Tab-separated table of all heavy atoms in Angstrom:
chain	number	residue	atom	x	y	z
A	1	TYR	N	54.475	13.599	-42.193
A	1	TYR	CA	53.869	14.951	-42.459
A	1	TYR	C	53.536	15.180	-44.000
A	1	TYR	O	54.242	14.614	-44.855
A	1	TYR	CB	54.879	15.951	-42.064
A	1	TYR	CG	55.186	16.001	-40.568
A	1	TYR	CD1	56.436	15.970	-40.166
A	1	TYR	CD2	54.115	15.958	-39.688
A	1	TYR	CE1	56.702	15.924	-38.772
A	1	TYR	CE2	54.349	15.911	-38.236
A	1	TYR	CZ	55.649	15.902	-37.768
A	1	TYR	OH	55.873	15.856	-36.507
A	2	PHE	N	52.534	15.931	-44.214
A	2	PHE	CA	52.021	16.144	-45.598
A	2	PHE	C	53.142	16.560	-46.602
A	2	PHE	O	53.325	15.904	-47.684
A	2	PHE	CB	50.904	17.100	-45.585
A	2	PHE	CG	50.357	17.409	-47.036
A	2	PHE	CD1	49.360	16.680	-47.596
A	2	PHE	CD2	50.903	18.463	-47.924
A	2	PHE	CE1	48.863	16.835	-48.835
A	2	PHE	CE2	50.458	18.720	-49.030
A	2	PHE	CZ	49.454	17.942	-49.586
A	3	LYS	N	53.880	17.636	-46.209
A	3	LYS	CA	54.891	18.098	-47.122
A	3	LYS	C	55.934	17.167	-47.331
A	3	LYS	O	56.376	16.940	-48.623
A	3	LYS	CB	55.422	19.403	-46.486
A	3	LYS	CG	56.514	20.093	-47.437
A	3	LYS	CD	57.073	21.432	-46.765
A	3	LYS	CE	58.190	21.949	-47.623
A	3	LYS	NZ	58.766	23.225	-47.031
A	4	GLU	N	56.413	16.450	-46.413
A	4	GLU	CA	57.521	15.482	-46.526
A	4	GLU	C	57.058	14.298	-47.458
A	4	GLU	O	57.790	13.912	-48.359
A	4	GLU	CB	57.931	14.902	-45.231
A	4	GLU	CG	59.012	13.888	-45.275
A	4	GLU	CD	59.403	13.346	-43.975
A	4	GLU	OE1	58.695	13.791	-42.891
A	4	GLU	OE2	60.238	12.438	-43.897
A	5	MET	N	55.775	13.756	-47.128
A	5	MET	CA	55.340	12.686	-47.914
A	5	MET	C	55.076	13.035	-49.314
A	5	MET	O	55.357	12.313	-50.318
A	5	MET	CB	54.143	12.021	-47.293
A	5	MET	CG	54.388	11.371	-45.931
A	5	MET	SD	55.533	10.099	-46.074
A	5	MET	CE	54.787	8.854	-46.991
A	6	PHE	N	54.591	14.301	-49.572
A	6	PHE	CA	54.339	14.704	-50.982
A	6	PHE	C	55.592	14.759	-51.740
A	6	PHE	O	55.718	14.198	-52.737
A	6	PHE	CB	53.649	16.114	-50.895
A	6	PHE	CG	53.521	16.751	-52.229
A	6	PHE	CD1	52.429	16.492	-52.987
A	6	PHE	CD2	54.284	17.670	-52.684
A	6	PHE	CE1	52.153	16.958	-54.301
A	6	PHE	CE2	54.128	18.283	-54.092
A	6	PHE	CZ	53.038	17.838	-54.811
A	7	LEU	N	56.616	15.374	-51.168
A	7	LEU	CA	57.971	15.516	-51.789
A	7	LEU	C	58.493	14.062	-52.109
A	7	LEU	O	59.095	13.837	-53.225
A	7	LEU	CB	58.963	16.353	-50.954
A	7	LEU	CG	58.548	17.774	-50.989
A	7	LEU	CD1	59.438	18.478	-49.903
A	7	LEU	CD2	58.526	18.482	-52.339
A	8	LEU	N	58.410	13.195	-51.187
A	8	LEU	CA	58.967	11.821	-51.349
A	8	LEU	C	58.175	11.001	-52.365
A	8	LEU	O	58.650	10.457	-53.209
A	8	LEU	CB	58.879	11.018	-50.057
A	8	LEU	CG	59.841	11.331	-48.948
A	8	LEU	CD1	59.601	10.803	-47.740
A	8	LEU	CD2	61.382	11.163	-49.402
A	9	ALA	N	56.905	11.298	-52.364
A	9	ALA	CA	56.003	10.625	-53.393
A	9	ALA	C	56.338	11.072	-54.832
A	9	ALA	O	56.370	10.347	-55.821
A	9	ALA	CB	54.545	10.801	-53.014
A	10	VAL	N	56.486	12.408	-54.982
A	10	VAL	CA	56.916	12.905	-56.268
A	10	VAL	C	58.212	12.471	-56.719
A	10	VAL	O	58.395	11.931	-57.850
A	10	VAL	CB	56.759	14.505	-56.250
A	10	VAL	CG1	57.412	15.096	-57.490
A	10	VAL	CG2	55.383	14.938	-56.107
A	11	ALA	N	59.235	12.530	-55.771
A	11	ALA	CA	60.566	12.107	-56.088
A	11	ALA	C	60.660	10.655	-56.498
A	11	ALA	O	61.370	10.318	-57.460
A	11	ALA	CB	61.465	12.449	-54.870
A	12	THR	N	59.902	9.732	-55.814
A	12	THR	CA	59.952	8.380	-56.207
A	12	THR	C	59.142	7.978	-57.321
A	12	THR	O	59.233	6.878	-57.882
A	12	THR	CB	59.623	7.505	-55.007
A	12	THR	OG1	58.281	7.835	-54.548
A	12	THR	CG2	60.500	7.635	-53.838
A	13	SER	N	58.392	8.997	-57.920
A	13	SER	CA	57.592	8.515	-58.922
A	13	SER	C	57.808	9.331	-60.395
A	13	SER	O	57.142	9.068	-61.270
A	13	SER	CB	55.993	8.859	-58.739
A	13	SER	OG	55.793	10.147	-58.409
A	14	ILE	N	58.933	10.053	-60.360
A	14	ILE	CA	59.351	10.736	-61.604
A	14	ILE	C	59.492	9.668	-62.704
A	14	ILE	O	59.237	9.901	-63.820
A	14	ILE	CB	60.621	11.597	-61.350
A	14	ILE	CG1	60.158	12.689	-60.405
A	14	ILE	CG2	61.158	12.101	-62.600
A	14	ILE	CD1	59.172	13.803	-60.934
A	15	ASP	N	60.222	8.568	-62.295
A	15	ASP	CA	60.459	7.567	-63.293
A	15	ASP	C	59.167	6.982	-63.872
A	15	ASP	O	59.154	6.565	-65.045
A	15	ASP	CB	61.420	6.449	-62.738
A	15	ASP	CG	60.934	5.841	-61.334
A	15	ASP	OD1	59.911	6.328	-60.842
A	15	ASP	OD2	61.526	4.871	-60.897
A	16	ALA	N	58.066	6.991	-63.160
A	16	ALA	CA	56.887	6.411	-63.720
A	16	ALA	C	56.327	7.410	-64.729
A	16	ALA	O	55.656	6.951	-65.599
A	16	ALA	CB	55.845	6.303	-62.474
A	17	LEU	N	56.645	8.730	-64.649
A	17	LEU	CA	56.323	9.605	-65.698
A	17	LEU	C	56.908	9.283	-66.969
A	17	LEU	O	56.240	9.221	-68.076
A	17	LEU	CB	56.712	11.064	-65.222
A	17	LEU	CG	56.377	12.145	-66.182
A	17	LEU	CD1	54.850	12.468	-66.185
A	17	LEU	CD2	57.163	13.367	-65.980
A	18	ALA	N	58.220	8.965	-66.874
A	18	ALA	CA	58.925	8.505	-68.095
A	18	ALA	C	58.330	7.126	-68.648
A	18	ALA	O	58.226	7.065	-69.893
A	18	ALA	CB	60.363	8.433	-67.818
A	19	VAL	N	57.977	6.299	-67.755
A	19	VAL	CA	57.362	5.034	-68.230
A	19	VAL	C	56.022	5.244	-68.926
A	19	VAL	O	55.647	4.699	-69.917
A	19	VAL	CB	57.313	4.048	-67.071
A	19	VAL	CG1	56.484	2.848	-67.531
A	19	VAL	CG2	58.701	3.595	-66.664
A	20	GLY	N	55.291	6.211	-68.403
A	20	GLY	CA	54.026	6.618	-69.021
A	20	GLY	C	54.208	7.052	-70.440
A	20	GLY	O	53.389	6.791	-71.366
A	21	ILE	N	55.303	7.829	-70.714
A	21	ILE	CA	55.548	8.281	-72.012
A	21	ILE	C	55.813	7.088	-72.960
A	21	ILE	O	55.291	7.026	-74.022
A	21	ILE	CB	56.827	9.375	-72.030
A	21	ILE	CG1	56.316	10.553	-71.335
A	21	ILE	CG2	57.271	9.517	-73.493
A	21	ILE	CD1	57.580	11.439	-71.026
A	22	THR	N	56.579	6.124	-72.339
A	22	THR	CA	56.863	4.891	-73.101
A	22	THR	C	55.553	4.142	-73.359
A	22	THR	O	55.353	3.592	-74.447
A	22	THR	CB	57.827	4.101	-72.264
A	22	THR	OG1	58.955	4.709	-72.005
A	22	THR	CG2	58.091	2.793	-72.948
A	23	PHE	N	54.735	4.111	-72.448
A	23	PHE	CA	53.364	3.449	-72.612
A	23	PHE	C	52.675	3.970	-73.774
A	23	PHE	O	51.958	3.328	-74.440
A	23	PHE	CB	52.600	3.427	-71.287
A	23	PHE	CG	52.977	2.448	-70.260
A	23	PHE	CD1	52.434	2.490	-69.007
A	23	PHE	CD2	53.997	1.497	-70.473
A	23	PHE	CE1	52.844	1.673	-68.014
A	23	PHE	CE2	54.273	0.572	-69.501
A	23	PHE	CZ	53.695	0.669	-68.276
A	24	ALA	N	52.742	5.380	-73.862
A	24	ALA	CA	51.930	6.005	-75.055
A	24	ALA	C	52.508	5.575	-76.340
A	24	ALA	O	51.751	5.233	-77.347
A	24	ALA	CB	52.017	7.534	-74.922
A	25	PHE	N	53.877	5.407	-76.432
A	25	PHE	CA	54.452	5.009	-77.649
A	25	PHE	C	54.135	3.557	-78.036
A	25	PHE	O	53.953	3.191	-79.151
A	25	PHE	CB	56.025	5.122	-77.560
A	25	PHE	CG	56.393	6.542	-77.441
A	25	PHE	CD1	57.620	6.903	-76.699
A	25	PHE	CD2	55.561	7.696	-77.861
A	25	PHE	CE1	57.960	8.132	-76.638
A	25	PHE	CE2	56.117	9.008	-77.640
A	25	PHE	CZ	57.236	9.247	-76.973
A	26	LEU	N	54.044	2.808	-77.007
A	26	LEU	CA	53.716	1.343	-77.270
A	26	LEU	C	52.316	1.004	-77.235
A	26	LEU	O	51.872	-0.089	-77.311
A	26	LEU	CB	54.292	0.509	-76.006
A	26	LEU	CG	55.873	0.617	-75.935
A	26	LEU	CD1	56.442	-0.214	-74.705
A	26	LEU	CD2	56.566	0.062	-77.146
A	27	ARG	N	51.423	2.123	-77.123
A	27	ARG	CA	49.928	1.967	-77.107
A	27	ARG	C	49.446	0.998	-76.050
A	27	ARG	O	48.669	0.130	-76.375
A	27	ARG	CB	49.567	1.644	-78.508
A	27	ARG	CG	49.711	2.679	-79.510
A	27	ARG	CD	49.207	2.317	-80.878
A	27	ARG	NE	49.516	3.264	-81.849
A	27	ARG	CZ	50.665	3.390	-82.506
A	27	ARG	NH1	51.581	2.549	-82.382
A	27	ARG	NH2	50.710	4.393	-83.400
A	28	VAL	N	49.906	1.101	-74.875
A	28	VAL	CA	49.524	0.365	-73.663
A	28	VAL	C	48.126	0.926	-73.265
A	28	VAL	O	48.087	2.145	-73.171
A	28	VAL	CB	50.563	0.366	-72.530
A	28	VAL	CG1	50.053	-0.250	-71.326
A	28	VAL	CG2	51.821	-0.305	-73.040
A	29	ASP	N	47.289	0.049	-72.887
A	29	ASP	CA	45.919	0.533	-72.189
A	29	ASP	C	46.196	1.113	-70.870
A	29	ASP	O	46.554	0.371	-69.999
A	29	ASP	CB	45.000	-0.701	-72.182
A	29	ASP	CG	43.554	-0.247	-71.839
A	29	ASP	OD1	43.346	0.929	-71.622
A	29	ASP	OD2	42.724	-1.187	-71.651
A	30	ILE	N	46.266	2.344	-70.761
A	30	ILE	CA	46.916	3.058	-69.646
A	30	ILE	C	46.128	2.916	-68.367
A	30	ILE	O	46.670	2.853	-67.211
A	30	ILE	CB	47.098	4.587	-69.918
A	30	ILE	CG1	47.990	5.298	-68.829
A	30	ILE	CG2	45.833	5.395	-70.075
A	30	ILE	CD1	49.308	4.742	-68.766
A	31	LEU	N	44.824	2.800	-68.401
A	31	LEU	CA	44.040	2.741	-67.072
A	31	LEU	C	44.313	1.497	-66.349
A	31	LEU	O	44.496	1.657	-65.074
A	31	LEU	CB	42.520	3.005	-67.358
A	31	LEU	CG	42.101	4.282	-67.851
A	31	LEU	CD1	40.602	4.432	-68.150
A	31	LEU	CD2	42.411	5.423	-66.856
A	32	PRO	N	44.198	0.346	-66.892
A	32	PRO	CA	44.629	-0.870	-66.178
A	32	PRO	C	45.909	-0.904	-65.633
A	32	PRO	O	46.497	-1.286	-64.628
A	32	PRO	CB	44.402	-2.032	-67.157
A	32	PRO	CG	43.433	-1.555	-68.215
A	32	PRO	CD	43.689	-0.055	-68.236
A	33	ALA	N	47.022	-0.313	-66.606
A	33	ALA	CA	48.328	-0.199	-66.282
A	33	ALA	C	48.636	0.617	-65.088
A	33	ALA	O	49.383	0.286	-64.112
A	33	ALA	CB	49.207	0.314	-67.544
A	34	MET	N	48.017	1.791	-65.059
A	34	MET	CA	48.289	2.648	-63.912
A	34	MET	C	47.557	2.154	-62.665
A	34	MET	O	48.230	2.259	-61.609
A	34	MET	CB	47.798	4.081	-64.211
A	34	MET	CG	46.286	4.292	-64.398
A	34	MET	SD	45.765	5.967	-64.817
A	34	MET	CE	45.588	6.662	-63.242
A	35	GLY	N	46.601	1.431	-62.719
A	35	GLY	CA	46.010	0.793	-61.584
A	35	GLY	C	46.836	-0.282	-60.971
A	35	GLY	O	47.002	-0.363	-59.854
A	36	PHE	N	47.373	-1.083	-61.965
A	36	PHE	CA	48.285	-2.222	-61.575
A	36	PHE	C	49.526	-1.703	-60.960
A	36	PHE	O	49.991	-2.154	-59.882
A	36	PHE	CB	48.621	-2.940	-62.791
A	36	PHE	CG	49.083	-4.362	-62.568
A	36	PHE	CD1	48.249	-5.367	-62.273
A	36	PHE	CD2	50.463	-4.685	-62.697
A	36	PHE	CE1	48.727	-6.597	-61.908
A	36	PHE	CE2	51.012	-5.894	-62.446
A	36	PHE	CZ	50.119	-6.898	-62.044
A	37	ILE	N	50.075	-0.559	-61.509
A	37	ILE	CA	51.284	0.019	-60.884
A	37	ILE	C	51.058	0.533	-59.532
A	37	ILE	O	51.827	0.350	-58.543
A	37	ILE	CB	51.848	1.093	-61.850
A	37	ILE	CG1	52.434	0.392	-63.141
A	37	ILE	CG2	52.962	1.910	-61.224
A	37	ILE	CD1	52.760	1.316	-64.283
A	38	GLY	N	49.804	1.298	-59.450
A	38	GLY	CA	49.451	1.862	-58.167
A	38	GLY	C	49.382	0.850	-57.074
A	38	GLY	O	49.879	1.103	-55.897
A	39	VAL	N	48.541	-0.194	-57.395
A	39	VAL	CA	48.234	-1.315	-56.358
A	39	VAL	C	49.624	-1.971	-55.948
A	39	VAL	O	49.861	-2.229	-54.791
A	39	VAL	CB	47.273	-2.265	-56.850
A	39	VAL	CG1	47.199	-3.449	-56.011
A	39	VAL	CG2	45.837	-1.552	-56.999
A	40	THR	N	50.480	-2.233	-57.019
A	40	THR	CA	51.649	-2.940	-56.601
A	40	THR	C	52.613	-2.073	-55.744
A	40	THR	O	53.116	-2.515	-54.741
A	40	THR	CB	52.488	-3.210	-58.015
A	40	THR	OG1	51.617	-4.103	-58.820
A	40	THR	CG2	53.780	-3.896	-57.726
A	41	THR	N	52.670	-0.764	-55.994
A	41	THR	CA	53.427	0.238	-55.140
A	41	THR	C	52.827	0.295	-53.797
A	41	THR	O	53.504	0.288	-52.900
A	41	THR	CB	53.609	1.522	-55.917
A	41	THR	OG1	53.968	1.371	-57.167
A	41	THR	CG2	54.411	2.458	-55.073
A	42	PHE	N	51.487	0.371	-53.752
A	42	PHE	CA	50.849	0.516	-52.446
A	42	PHE	C	51.265	-0.676	-51.611
A	42	PHE	O	51.700	-0.497	-50.431
A	42	PHE	CB	49.332	0.488	-52.629
A	42	PHE	CG	48.646	0.316	-51.279
A	42	PHE	CD1	48.426	1.375	-50.464
A	42	PHE	CD2	48.186	-0.860	-50.945
A	42	PHE	CE1	47.706	1.199	-49.270
A	42	PHE	CE2	47.627	-1.149	-49.735
A	42	PHE	CZ	47.332	-0.012	-48.891
A	43	VAL	N	51.143	-1.940	-52.103
A	43	VAL	CA	51.404	-3.164	-51.268
A	43	VAL	C	52.810	-3.146	-50.913
A	43	VAL	O	53.253	-3.361	-49.718
A	43	VAL	CB	51.054	-4.458	-52.185
A	43	VAL	CG1	51.632	-5.688	-51.453
A	43	VAL	CG2	49.546	-4.471	-52.326
C-alpha cells in the first residue's frame, strides 16, 4: 500500500540523507553517486 511503502521508504533512507551531507563536505559528484546508490538499493 502507498502509505505503508512511503513510510518504510522514508524510514530506511534517513541515513542516506546524512550520507548526502557527508558527500557535500567531501565534494563527491552527487548525481552519479545518487544514481549508483538508487540502483544498488533497487536491486
Side-chain angles (χ1 to χ4, degrees):
Y1 297 128
F2 179 87
K3 182 179 177 182
E4 179 184 1
M5 291 304 293
F6 177 81
L7 292 174
L8 287 171
V10 169
T12 58
S13 63
I14 294 296
D15 51 355
L17 179 79
V19 169
I21 294 169
T22 301
F23 283 173
F25 299 151
L26 299 176
R27 294 181 180 85
V28 171
D29 191 0
I30 192 62
L31 292 178
M34 65 184 273
F36 198 76
I37 290 168
V39 169
T40 301
T41 303
F42 169 83
V43 170

